[in-house]
Amino acid sequence: DAWLARAQRCVDFLLSIQLPSGAFPALEIADNRSEPSAFNSAQIAHGLHAWFRKTQDRRVLDPLARAARWVRDVQDQDGAWRQYVYQRVASAYSAHAACWMAEIAGDLEIPGLLTCAERNLRWVLQLRDPETGWIDRCGFTSADHAARRSHTHTIAYTLAGVLSMSERLQIDEGVAAVETAAERLLERLERSRSLPGVLDWRWRRQADYVCLTGDVQIALIWLRLAKRTHDLRLVNAVNRRLKTVEEA
């Protein structure tokens, strides 16, 4: 009950900062209450959706729908988002925004949300390197994209979004892309005994530190795939990463 009450306070706070457009603010709330973010808005819409499914609190339905419609409306025709995103850089980790549009469309009748999700999925999949399984443009910045590198945090955002959308839309190509990338990450772990916080398009180490957020996110992806494939290597990898996080 204490955790549910805490979530209730989070919901109340989020409803208090929603912009008239339906969007939610970018960056840190202490510094910005007016500039919108497509990524933040999609993730918050997912949170409000989860709250409604748990509690049937109908107060969140209109804010949730307005946020989802705004995210849909600011998407470019090719499936990317180029406005209202970090540094105005179109990135593959937008899959972790689009996947919530597909999820919400499963429960609420909001026209165009499934199309929004599938359009983004197709855009992300065309960025896939057929040789290595890497998905380009999954980093934070234009410099990351040019160097074909990314933090594990945004690699995981990309893969989780692609997997969620592909399962919901029944697109086998997307599931296969995630399985290949997850295998490359597993090979990197087995070779290095840890996951470097930044990797390049050949899955080579680009940093001497690890990213705890990325580790946990990737562990969750391995766990989801293990449930599909019953691959014990993935289960063992999850246990190793979570042990590292616990020790940290």
Side-chain angles (χ1 to χ4, degrees), residues 88-128:
R88 299 182 67 85
V89 174
S91 299
Y93 70 81
S94 61
H96 209 258
C99 68
W100 308 130
M101 300 299 100
E103 176 192 81
I104 292 165
D107 284 344
L108 303 181
E109 294 184 4
I110 302 176
L113 289 195
L114 273 181
T115 300
C116 169
E118 183 168 2
R119 188 183 291 145
N120 178 260
L121 177 60
R122 298 296 185 187
W123 179 75
V124 172
L125 289 178
Q126 74 178 0
L127 300 173
R128 184 170 177 264

Side-chain angles (χ1 to χ4, degrees), residues 48-60:
L48 296 177
H49 184 220
W51 175 256
F52 174 74
R53 294 172 72 177
K54 173 68 177 178
T55 67
Q56 296 299 299
D57 181 355
R58 301 188 67 83
R59 293 181 310 138
V60 304

Side-chain angles (χ1 to χ4, degrees), residues 21-203:
S21 64
F24 286 88
L27 303 172
E28 298 288 345
I29 193 66
D31 300 323
N32 171 54
R33 284 180 175 260
S34 59
E35 292 299 317
S37 163
F39 191 82
N40 289 7
S41 298
Q43 297 215 104
I44 291 170
H46 162 60
L48 296 177
H49 184 220
W51 175 256
F52 174 74
R53 294 172 72 177
K54 173 68 177 178
T55 67
Q56 296 299 299
D57 181 355
R58 301 188 67 83
R59 293 181 310 138
V60 304
L61 285 180
D62 179 64
L64 159 60
R66 290 195 297 119
R69 285 194 294 266
W70 181 83
V71 171
R72 175 202 64 193
D73 291 346
V74 298
Q75 184 187 42
D76 290 341
Q77 277 299 114
D78 64 356
W81 279 273
R82 294 179 177 83
Q83 55 179 335
Y84 310 118
V85 293
Y86 183 60
Q87 296 191 1
R88 299 182 67 85
V89 174
S91 299
Y93 70 81
S94 61
H96 209 258
C99 68
W100 308 130
M101 300 299 100
E103 176 192 81
I104 292 165
D107 284 344
L108 303 181
E109 294 184 4
I110 302 176
L113 289 195
L114 273 181
T115 300
C116 169
E118 183 168 2
R119 188 183 291 145
N120 178 260
L121 177 60
R122 298 296 185 187
W123 179 75
V124 172
L125 289 178
Q126 74 178 0
L127 300 173
R128 184 170 177 264
D129 187 312
E131 177 187 353
T132 67
W134 176 262
I135 296 177
D136 273 316
R137 305 186 68 160
C138 60
F140 282 116
T141 66
S142 296
D144 288 337
H145 296 176
R148 304 185 73 188
R149 68 183 178 221
S150 174
H151 287 79
T152 51
H153 176 43
T154 48
I155 293 172
Y157 265 157
T158 304
L159 298 180
V162 168
L163 182 58
S164 292
M165 286 190 285
S166 298
E167 289 177 336
R168 189 169 292 271
L169 298 170
Q170 298 184 326
I171 296 177
D172 292 341
E173 178 190 356
V175 175
V178 175
E179 289 176 339
T180 298
E183 177 67 25
R184 300 290 86 78
L185 288 163
L186 181 57
E187 291 171 358
R188 180 74 276 157
L189 174 63
E190 290 172 342
R191 291 177 183 176
S192 303
R193 299 188 179 182
S194 67
L195 279 178
V198 181
L199 297 167
D200 74 1
W201 66 289
R202 291 191 178 276
W203 308 98

